Amino acid sequence: MGRQVQVGKLGDLNRLVRPFFLIVFAGACLAQTTGCTRNFFRKQADQEVADVLAEKDHYPDSSIEQWHVYPDPRARFADDSDPDHPLMPPDDPEAWQQSPHPQKPGKDGTLRVVGAGYLELLGRWSTENRAEKTKAASAERALSALGGEPADVTGLPGEPPVGQTPQGGSGEGLAGKGGGTDDTYTSTILRTEPKPGGVQPYLLNLDQACELAVINAREYQDAREDLYMAALPVTLERFSFAAQFFAAEQSLREWAGATSPEGTRNDWTMNSNAGFAKLFSTGALLLFNFANQTVFNLGGAARPVTSQSTINLDLFQPLLQGGGRAVTLEPLTQAERNLVYQIRTYARFRKSLYVAIAGGGGGSITGSTFQPQGVVASSTFSPSAGLGASGLTPGVITPVPAFANPGLQVTPGESGQLFLNTALAAPVSGYLSTLLEASQIQVDKYNIRALEGFFRLAKALQEGGDISQLQTDTFEQQLLRGRQSLLGDQQNYLQAIDNFKLQLGVPTDTFLELDDSPFLPLNQQFARFESLFREFKTASAQPGRFSAPNQVGQVRVELRKLLTSSAFVRGTQFKTRIAARLDAWQNQAADQVKKRLSDYNQERNRLLDKQVSLGMKGQGLSVADQGRLDQLVNEIALGEYESALREYEAQPWNNPLQSAETQRRRQQAMFGHVANEFTVVLIEARNERLVQIRAQWPVLSPVCVDGVDLLKADLDVAEAAAAQHALIHRLDLMNVRAQNVDAWRQLRVYANALLAPLNVQYALTSTTPAGSAMPLAFSGSGTQQQLIFNTELPIVRKQQRNNYRASLIAYQRSRRVVQRGEDEVSYDVRQELILLRQLLENYRIQTRQIELAYLTVDNSLDTLQAPPTPTSAAGATIDTATRAASLTNQLINAQTSLYNSLFSMTTIWINYLNTRDQIFRDLELMPLDSRGVWLDEVAKCECPAENSAAGPITPTTSASPSGPGNQRPEMLPAPQPGATAQPMPQSQR
């Protein structure tokens, strides 16, 4: 019977134990599949970070935009695999062979994941851009057909209109003649353009480049992740002040024989713990623990189940050392502030990235990461280094010992000490700087075409005996130098475009072409000059059609038609007035013409003498005198033209005593004199068109802040306005000032460590009766309470003293850092402002330089081709070789000056745009749209109301459209494109 009873008791016990184990096992499995997976914790972290960032995103100047911790699906580094179980990347073969393999690739194998969405985006953009360029070219041709801008104003000088052949150097322009392919430079050693019929590159504009960088730049993704990493410590520090619950279970199976030290044992023991810990802002720590031990005796004991419970309640409050809000809340405070700093850093990073992608200069990027320009980093003194050695960590309280109580699960500590590898820093090139290299290649090619034309002209003149082989070789030497310059600029461009690809995060073998729209206004102006001088050269050569002796009677009529109705004079006041002025001279008798010319020359000479006299005093002619001088110069040119024409019409070469050849030479010489005077008259129309072109120089974008035009205001006023705005709004300077307060707060934290420990502790322990099965039978008789006071004299405080003294020094150093940062910010904007003003003035000067360079080349070319004067004033024959050498050097120097002027102007243009970007970044006046593109509304938002358009920046001009002795040509006047890229939804990850 007894045995049957025992079996029955064991059966009841088994029925009790089995469901219990099943419940425990099912609970463990459920926890593992729902709340303890990688996916759960990753999404939980993402959600908490998103909540924290949304809470902090209050200020427009540092708003969190274009932020997502997961890469854009279109990025090259996009990864569509499971983020919690990414595919194993290919390993280094030697490392793989010489090391153990604790982890295997898995069923998916080894794969390097590379996204390709950015290539599809590039292809779509390129198609759209080429369609726009085709549409714009069609519109230009239509405008040209209606008499508007010439169709070839979209390229650099020397580029002929579609369907036309570049003209040669022998009186036909600077671009080079289509023939003579043996002399045309066609080297492709360093190819910078697509092969004819080959694959077209991706055509990319500036806005698209910035958007691509937002999607694809590795540094940008690093910055997003840095912001994420700065938010994680905030979630941890906040949780350290929450009620932290815990539950633990221990199952123990014991069996022992009769002769063992413990005697016969056959039971299961279940140890259970549950409770919570709570840290308060004063440093008080509350610990609650419920512990239970249940024993299932399987050996036939009188009590098959015994269960005993214990409750522990501990309250620990430090009163001096380690107590108080200043110490306890410091880690949370620093974590919260570090996040604010990182938000500002991220906002400034976006602007710095735009400046780097758009311009590529300014020194805003140093080292391996983007850094605020010119702001000194804060002190590197680490408070934790000293505190850790002293045994006091702010906000961390040693847990009170309690039965089976692990204490505070997450303790607050210093935040932000997270070090991650960053992307390899890309060399900075920039869209505009790279485009500058491309434009300078075009200037080189233009220069080569001009030099090729001069070289062909020199060979023709050498065949005619006008110049020697020495001068021809000189032209060839200059041509070879031009080709060397082209090779150097091609190499610079290829390096710049590869650097730019690295900035965008695309492979260096991606074939990119940058849209030259930023250069379009400048290129159009260059082309206007080129078109004017090409048309002037063509119009000057028109009289040659009427040089035959049998056309003498037609010369006056035909030349009059050219002066009054040719395409060159179209749209000028010269065209409307020249007919009446020609009639006025033609209707006068010969002696009247002579007397009028004499009177005009005397009056002109008096005005010239007056001009020289005033010039020595730093003054100039009055407006009336200058206008009169211009009028005299033009009328004298007409009088000389009328005199030469009358002399030619008299046909004095028809002398029967002279040979036919002598008569022909004299007739041609006299016609040449008429043609030359015709050209001098035509200069007046050219001057008028030059004035029109001068007014078409593109306007430089304004630079204003708080209603002050920084380029037009007094320099002191402009510098003060810029510096004041920067000192108030610079995000990185805000961080430096806030870090000064961080250093100030540390003084109290370190001073607290100097105090003596004085802690008060309350402990309550309550236990249920032992040896029974009453786990909840708590009573006053089983309860124990303690009130404990602990103190220690602060006898040894060497380390604490040193830490405190170091904190005082750190604070003073931080104050100096703030001063240095403020000085650096003011210095930055002042220097950028000075550079902008310098570039503006250089731009004005260079407009005149380019105009004079074109005039000098045109005059030098005419002078080289003009027949030499047969004798000097003394009657001696001029040394032909000396004259040829002088004219050769004059033309080469003139072309070099034009080449340098065009080169300098393109550099000034880009430097101005770059510097303007930099100063607005440093003024924090660079709002970016969802594509990462600057919304440049400075003229509307920042410039003075009365000057909202900022006014055109006009180039410097000479006072007169003509000069003294205007007989020669040199006497002339001065996600989807446009949509926000969204992160991949977490539900799809």
Side-chain angles (χ1 to χ4, degrees), residues 883-904:
R883 174 184 180 276
S886 175
L887 296 180
T888 297
N889 291 331
Q890 178 177 290
L891 179 56
I892 288 176
N893 292 337
Q895 177 60 28
T896 301
S897 177
L898 176 58
Y899 167 75
N900 291 334
S901 296
L902 295 174
F903 213 91
S904 297

Side-chain angles (χ1 to χ4, degrees), residues 402-460:
F403 172 74
N405 186 349
L408 194 63
Q409 300 300 297
V410 177
T411 58
E414 282 205 357
S415 61
Q417 306 300 315
L418 303 169
F419 299 95
L420 302 175
N421 291 330
T422 58
L424 295 176
V428 179
S429 178
Y431 186 98
L432 295 175
S433 297
T434 305
L435 195 60
L436 174 61
E437 299 291 347
S439 71
Q440 290 176 341
I441 289 176
Q442 298 305 316
V443 173
D444 285 325
K445 292 181 177 180
Y446 159 68
N447 184 53
I448 289 174
R449 283 192 294 268
L451 292 172
E452 286 173 344
F454 298 158
F455 182 45
R456 286 190 291 269
L457 173 62
K459 291 196 294 186

